């Protein structure tokens, strides 16, 4: 049996490899075409979702306004909702509680095109702490993928200022001190527009704002529960007293 020349084998292997490489390139090109098609569908879907969101934002607006009017008639509504929220409650100092008693409404508004950002506003009645009737923090999403943050400068009345005494110079957006006033949030403006992650804003916008009644009711439910427990304990004590009186009669 005569062995095949070495160069013939190499040539055959090269042709086979070229054929495999050609098939691989063709498959990748087809796959890329599919991905491009999916990308176009996703972009179209995103645009349509934004249009739907814009439509329903306009429908929700008068309903939110009506809710705010009702909330104004409920004493300490927003203070109670904040204090009942597992995350937000940790951000309020005792002095903040006094200021929040003057909080009449909260508003969360998306930009008109939805995708450009949103703002969170706190509306206050006349109070002894600051001149502002409205404090707003705005998040603007820029084209290059960064976020610009701006906020109302609080005009504290004489002798007031940040309730914990000192307004710290913030370089980031993380809250580090448990006793730090909630109102320092309005002065927490990141030095860089990159990688903005304002947890307080996200919690208010995505959790508290859609249904604050959930947290307001939590507090009421807990009070009712405590009252029931007290009633049971008192009831139990009365029964024990009756038993003891029965034993004395015997």
């Amino acid at each position: 049996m005569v062995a095949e020349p070495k160069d013939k084998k190499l040539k055959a292997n090269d042709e086979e490899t070229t054929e495999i490489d050609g098939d691989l390139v063709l498959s990748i090109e087809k796959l890329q075409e599919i991905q491009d098609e999916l990308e176009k569908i996703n972009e179209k879907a995103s645009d349509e979702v934004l249009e739907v969101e814009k439509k329903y934002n306009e429908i929700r607006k008068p309903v939110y306004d009506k809710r705010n009017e009702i909330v104004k008639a409920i004493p300490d509504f927003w203070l109670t909702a904040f204090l009942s929220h597992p995350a937000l409650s940790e951000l309020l100092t005792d002095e903040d509680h006094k200021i929040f008693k003057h909080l009449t409404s909260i508003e969360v508004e998306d930009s008109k095109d939805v995708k450009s950002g949103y703002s969170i506003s706190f509306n206050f009645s006349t109070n002894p702490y600051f001149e502002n009737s409205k404090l707003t923090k705005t998040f603007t999403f820029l084209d290059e993928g960064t976020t610009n943050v701006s906020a109302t400068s609080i005009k504290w009345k004489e002798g007031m200022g940040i309730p914990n005494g000192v307004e710290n110079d913030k370089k980031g957006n993380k809250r580090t001190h448990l006793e730090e006033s909630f109102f320092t949030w309005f002065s927490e403006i990141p030095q860089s527009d990159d990688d903005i992650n304002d947890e307080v804003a996200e919690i208010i916008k995505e959790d508290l704002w859609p249904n604050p009644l959930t947290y307001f009711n939590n507090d009421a439910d807990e009070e009712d529960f405590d009252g029931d427990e007290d009633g049971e304990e008192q009831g139990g004590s009365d029964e024990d007293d009756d038993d003891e009186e029965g034993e004395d009669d015997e």
Side-chain angles (χ1 to χ4, degrees), residues 1-150:
M1 185 175 176
V2 181
E4 269 190 56
K6 204 171 195 183
D7 332 343
K8 195 171 179 183
K9 279 189 180 179
L10 288 172
K11 187 177 179 182
N13 289 338
D14 288 343
E15 288 175 356
E16 189 176 342
T17 302
T18 302
E19 187 177 342
I20 292 173
D21 289 345
D23 290 343
L24 181 60
V25 169
L26 188 60
S27 296
I28 291 173
E29 287 175 352
K30 287 181 179 178
L31 187 58
Q32 186 60 56
E33 288 174 7
I34 296 294
Q35 288 303 132
D36 291 342
E37 187 178 349
L38 286 171
E39 196 63 36
K40 287 178 183 176
I41 294 171
N42 290 338
E43 286 176 9
K44 185 179 178 183
S46 296
D47 290 340
E48 290 182 6
V49 167
L50 286 174
E51 286 302 314
V52 171
E53 189 62 28
K54 281 166 63 177
K55 173 186 172 182
Y56 281 95
N57 275 350
E58 291 173 5
I59 294 172
R60 291 187 194 105
K61 182 69 169 66
V63 181
Y64 279 136
D65 290 343
K66 190 186 298 184
R67 186 181 75 179
N68 271 340
E69 288 304 313
I70 295 171
V71 163
K72 287 177 183 178
I74 303 174
D76 300 334
F77 179 88
W78 288 108
L79 172 59
T80 303
F82 259 73
L83 292 178
S84 300
H85 193 285
L88 296 175
S89 60
E90 297 181 359
L91 305 180
L92 300 187
T93 65
D94 289 342
E95 199 66 21
D96 290 339
H97 294 183
K98 298 174 187 177
I99 301 176
F100 261 64
K101 284 183 172 291
H102 300 277
L103 178 61
T104 57
S105 65
I106 292 177
E107 297 169 352
V108 175
E109 292 187 79
D110 286 311
S111 59
K112 288 185 178 179
D113 65 355
V114 180
K115 63 182 180 181
S116 293
Y118 63 94
S119 64
I120 299 175
S121 297
F122 288 67
N123 298 297
F124 292 86
S125 59
T126 303
N127 63 79
Y129 298 96
F130 43 73
E131 301 289 348
N132 315 71
S133 60
K134 186 173 188 175
L135 301 178
T136 301
K137 193 163 186 177
T138 303
F139 299 83
T140 305
F141 304 141
L142 306 176
D143 292 336
E144 58 269 25
T146 58
T147 303
N148 178 260
V149 182
S150 60

